[in-house]
Amino acid sequence: MMVRIFLVDDDPFFGEMLKYHLQLNPDYEVFLYSSGKECLSELYRNPDIICIDFGLPDIQGDDLFKQIKTLYPDLPIIVISGQENISVAIDFLKQGAKDYIVKNEHTKELLWSSIIRLRENISLKQEVEELKDELEKKYSFEKTIIGQSESIKSIFSKINKALKSNINVSVTGETGTGKEVVARAIHYHSSRKNKPFVAVNMAAIPKDLVESEFFGHEKGAFTGATDKSVGKFEQANGGTIFLDEIAELDLNLQSKLLRALQEREITRVGGTQKIKLDVRLIIATHKNLANEVKKGNFREDLYYRVIGLPIELPPLRERDQDTLILAKHFIDLFAKENKSKPLILASDARKKLMKYSFPGNIRELKSVIDLACVMAESNEITADDISFYNLEKESEVFLSEQKTLKQYTTDIILHFLRENNNDVIKTAKILDIGKSTVYNLINSVDLKKTK
């Protein structure tokens, strides 16, 4: 890392000596000025460190120090002075000088050591700032939640609302719609972005280990607990905890989670010490939590505690041209990761993508595009390069049966009714038919027998 250093000294011999000594390091770019005014006029060069002489002819060292600090409060300044007065040195250090060096035979060595320390601090600050920028760019929701459809624009609006407070957020949507991406985007754009983001997949934790995973445990709390363990909530303190697939949480553990959220404190398994909590909660599920409450699978009181600001992610099939926008994004991403030139989607490939329903949503689309990039024989992806996984056999069975057009129409409407939890308005909108058509079908068919 190149470090730009300003030296301000009216003694030509002493100044040139210091400049020569510092320039022995090829990473140091050194500028020598003989007056305070000359230094101030050159600040546009954005120095990393300034070394000023206390006894300048035009501006006293303390006045120059104050003027620089007024313009650039965080700019490191080293004062070099012929005065050995301790009170002067202390006064400069109190005002924010990084070092005070007396002019003598040891000056160049002391200055060298002081700049090395400052350089390390500058490097650390730059690394921290770069990491922050990378995180914000990585989880910028306009970049990670890609699309221009009206449904996605409404998601952006809700995310912006979530950023204005610490309200709990519940993200729902089919598998593969990007629920964790939304959770991370909210965290890394909130006031908690410098604190931990801890993601917990409820479906991946054995039932008997959930409490320990949540709240931690003390040594000897149970067989196998050979050491103390800090739980996920404690790890996330000050930041955000993301509970994915929360509907899978056992009812008994739901009551313990509710207590922790209400009291804002936890106790490790086998412990007695109460640990205060300051976490933002974001939950996600592909299930309808309200229906789970009605079925008795999810506590009503916990439901109202965690629901907060609901964000429902639309499936890819309801996002219009977003499929092609995302496909282009994944093509570019594949090229970047594999150090190859981006490919082009041929018109027949675009049509094929738009006709497919993508039951696996964005996750499935990425897999399809990655494979297509590998299979493409030229700089263009054609329809033949695109293969779908066909994990769902329903459509094949559906078309293999001999039925009348009316029977097929009935089956299609019933299928979308089931997919949308018997929401008539939503089903009518998706199929672009009148609500009365759907209501008439419901009145003429026993829905229970069609499930």
Side-chain angles (χ1 to χ4, degrees):
M1 182 190 77
M2 184 64 71
V3 178
R4 183 168 291 177
I5 302 168
F6 279 14
L7 280 175
V8 190
D9 199 304
D10 65 327
D11 183 335
F13 174 78
F14 192 78
E16 288 292 346
M17 182 270 292
L18 291 179
K19 180 180 179 182
Y20 171 79
H21 184 67
L22 291 175
Q23 284 183 330
L24 292 175
N25 188 326
D27 292 334
Y28 292 170
E29 184 181 21
V30 185
F31 295 83
L32 177 61
Y33 304 107
S34 59
S35 69
K37 288 181 180 177
E38 192 179 2
C39 170
L40 290 171
S41 68
E42 292 283 301
L43 287 176
Y44 71 89
R45 293 182 183 274
N46 296 317
D48 298 300
I49 300 170
I50 296 183
C51 309
I52 63 173
D53 184 8
F54 181 73
L56 294 170
D58 59 339
I59 305 174
Q60 276 293 100
D62 53 350
D63 288 336
L64 177 60
F65 180 89
K66 289 174 183 175
Q67 288 188 52
I68 295 172
K69 277 294 180 185
T70 300
L71 294 169
Y72 301 96
D74 298 325
L75 185 57
I77 300 176
I78 298 172
V79 179
I80 303 173
S81 174
Q83 293 193 36
E84 296 186 23
N85 190 327
I86 296 298
S87 63
V88 175
I90 291 173
D91 187 50
F92 269 111
L93 294 172
K94 282 183 177 178
Q95 292 181 63
K98 295 300 180 183
D99 207 347
Y100 185 93
I101 299 173
V102 177
K103 282 186 176 181
N104 55 34
E105 67 272 20
H106 303 299
T107 302
K108 62 182 183 180
E109 287 80 14
L110 292 171
L111 181 60
W112 183 274
S113 299
S114 184
I115 287 176
I116 287 175
R117 290 194 300 271
L118 287 174
R119 183 187 181 187
E120 289 174 354
N121 289 334
I122 291 167
S123 297
L124 285 172
K125 285 182 180 178
Q126 285 185 348
E127 286 177 18
V128 169
E129 290 304 316
E130 286 170 5
L131 284 171
K132 286 181 182 177
D133 290 342
E134 285 177 14
L135 280 174
E136 288 192 10
K137 288 176 184 176
K138 183 176 181 180
Y139 296 113
S140 169
F141 52 85
E142 288 90 349
K143 291 183 178 180
T144 53
I145 308 171
I146 296 165
Q148 298 175 2
S149 62
E150 291 303 315
S151 57
I152 285 302
K153 288 177 183 177
S154 70
I155 297 300
F156 290 161
S157 175
K158 288 186 177 180
I159 291 175
N160 275 315
K161 292 181 186 300
L163 300 179
K164 296 175 183 177
S165 71
N166 284 316
I167 188 172
N168 293 338
V169 178
S170 55
V171 188
T172 55
E174 295 178 7
T175 300
T177 49
K179 294 185 283 293
E180 185 169 344
V181 172
V182 170
R184 288 184 181 273
I186 291 171
H187 170 76
Y188 287 111
H189 285 79
S190 73
S191 59
R192 296 175 179 264
K193 63 184 178 183
N194 296 324
K195 298 294 183 180
F197 175 89
V198 178
V200 186
N201 185 346
M202 303 308 309
I205 305 174
K207 177 182 171 181
D208 55 344
L209 293 180
V210 173
E211 186 175 4
S212 175
E213 283 288 309
F214 269 8
F215 310 128
H217 61 256
E218 298 291 348
K219 182 178 180 180
F222 49 83
T223 303
T226 55
D227 292 296
K228 180 179 78 173
S229 174
V230 175
K232 300 298 186 183
F233 272 87
E234 199 173 342
Q235 291 173 27
N237 226 345
T240 302
I241 189 163
F242 173 58
L243 302 183
D244 195 10
E245 297 302 345
I246 194 172
E248 305 302 320
L249 186 59
D250 181 77
L251 276 169
N252 180 49
L253 291 165
Q254 288 179 28
S255 64
K256 294 182 180 181
L257 173 60
L258 176 63
R259 191 179 310 115
L261 295 175
Q262 286 176 336
E263 298 174 4
R264 292 191 172 274
E265 63 181 24
I266 60 168
T267 303
R268 297 193 193 109
V269 178
T272 56
Q273 179 189 358
K274 293 187 182 299
I275 301 163
K276 292 294 181 182
L277 282 184
D278 174 24
V279 295
R280 180 183 203 159
L281 176 68
I282 302 179
I283 66 158
T285 178
H286 72 281
K287 294 183 177 179
N288 185 314
L289 269 190
N291 285 346
E292 294 301 303
V293 171
K294 293 175 184 176
K295 295 175 184 176
N297 297 330
F298 201 83
R299 292 178 62 108
E300 184 176 0
D301 45 8
L302 179 60
Y303 171 81
Y304 290 119
R305 174 67 63 173
V306 302
I307 198 69
L309 172 66
I311 297 177
E312 183 178 359
L313 297 181
L316 188 56
R317 61 182 174 274
E318 295 178 12
R319 291 178 53 180
D320 304 322
Q321 295 294 314
D322 284 356
T323 299
L324 298 181
I325 295 172
L326 281 160
K328 172 68 166 60
H329 168 73
F330 291 138
I331 290 170
D332 293 343
L333 186 63
F334 182 90
K336 182 179 179 181
E337 291 176 347
N338 292 275
K339 297 180 175 58
S340 59
K341 289 184 179 180
L343 301 173
I344 300 169
L345 269 177
S347 59
D348 60 346
R350 292 197 295 270
K351 289 176 183 177
K352 187 171 183 178
L353 288 173
M354 290 301 293
K355 287 180 179 179
Y356 185 60
S357 64
F358 286 100
N361 292 293
I362 300 170
R363 190 178 295 135
E364 182 183 3
L365 174 62
K366 185 179 186 305
S367 295
V368 167
I369 292 299
D370 284 351
L371 178 59
C373 289
V374 172
M375 299 302 294
E377 296 290 344
S378 64
N379 66 341
E380 193 175 56
I381 295 174
T382 67
D384 291 338
D385 299 321
I386 295 174
S387 301
F388 300 124
Y389 297 99
N390 292 325
L391 292 179
E392 291 190 352
K393 302 297 182 181
E394 182 180 337
S395 60
E396 295 176 10
V397 174
F398 178 82
L399 291 174
S400 66
E401 297 176 5
Q402 291 187 353
K403 297 181 181 181
T404 65
L405 178 59
K406 183 177 180 181
Q407 288 172 325
Y408 275 127
T409 303
T410 299
D411 288 347
I412 291 170
I413 296 174
L414 290 175
H415 168 78
F416 280 96
L417 270 172
R418 289 194 296 270
E419 287 290 307
N420 294 288
N421 297 311
N422 294 326
D423 187 325
V424 172
I425 295 175
K426 191 172 183 180
T427 300
K429 185 177 179 182
I430 291 170
L431 296 176
D432 195 22
I433 58 177
K435 296 190 292 292
S436 59
T437 303
V438 184
Y439 279 121
N440 290 336
L441 178 66
I442 292 172
N443 291 332
S444 63
V445 176
D446 185 350
L447 292 181
K448 291 181 179 179
K449 291 182 180 179
T450 65
K451 289 184 178 179

